[in-house]
Amino acid sequence: MRKQVHILVVEDEPKLANALKDGLENEKYRVSVAASGEEGFYLLHSDQFDLLMLDVMLPGRSGFEILARLRQNGMKIPVLLLTARDSVDDRVYGLDLGADDYLVKPFAFPELLARVRALLRRGGQEKTGRMSVGDLVIDPAVRSVWRNGQLIELTAREYDLLEYLVRNQGSVVSREMLARDVWKETARATPIDNVIDVHVARLRRKIDDGFERKLVHTVRGVGFIVREEPECFR
Ligand code: CA
């Protein structure tokens, strides 16, 4: 089954927000709505989205500010700005901040749909970064990790370690490789095997605890491997 495209709509006018949600859901998109930039920002970091529809005039932080912060954080999600102001300056400003497209209110719904389809096509070509193992998804663009749709908080080192293991999924990764590539520790005069083991143990707790299928495995005497295994091989 194809994964449903997930759209986040950040719009403070309830009538328009509801109309967008209903209309997009009719087109088989999955839609989440936030009424403020703060709420939108929170949702963006707690779930996975394929497209952001962002109103410019919002209570609190404006859509422009939200957009600028997203791009500063390296988030590459396609962004369609919605605004009531039709000025060239605004349009240029929004695009300069990293918006992918721009729609001026009031707009016709079919036009919105056409823009959405175009952005998703474009996004699909560029979106190569995300990797998965079983129900674990990691997104290097935003250094975020989800298991079964739930965001998992990792330290910077734990994230680096996990990304390395996932990039090598299905292959055994030795402590020497981790020391060299994750810890950038080239001098083997100071072995850091204990440090690595502690981090792997902590990572395993965060990734695997409470899940039937374990993903992080120890290969005794060799190192570690990330893979999805049927229970009988654990
Ligand atoms: Ca508004």
Side-chain angles (χ1 to χ4, degrees), residues 10-13 16 55-59 82 84 105:
V10 181
E11 171 59 70
D12 61 311
E13 291 152 56
L16 180 57
D55 183 28
V56 171
M57 301 286 278
L58 290 167
L82 306 178
K105 298 176 189 174

Side-chain angles (χ1 to χ4, degrees), residues 64 67 71 79 81 88-102 122:
F64 286 146
L67 174 61
R71 295 310 190 215
V79 174
L81 281 179
V88 175
D89 281 354
D90 266 13
R91 224 170 303 173
V92 169
Y93 186 54
L95 294 172
D96 277 349
L97 286 177
D100 297 274
D101 205 353
Y102 205 95
R122 231 194 288 166

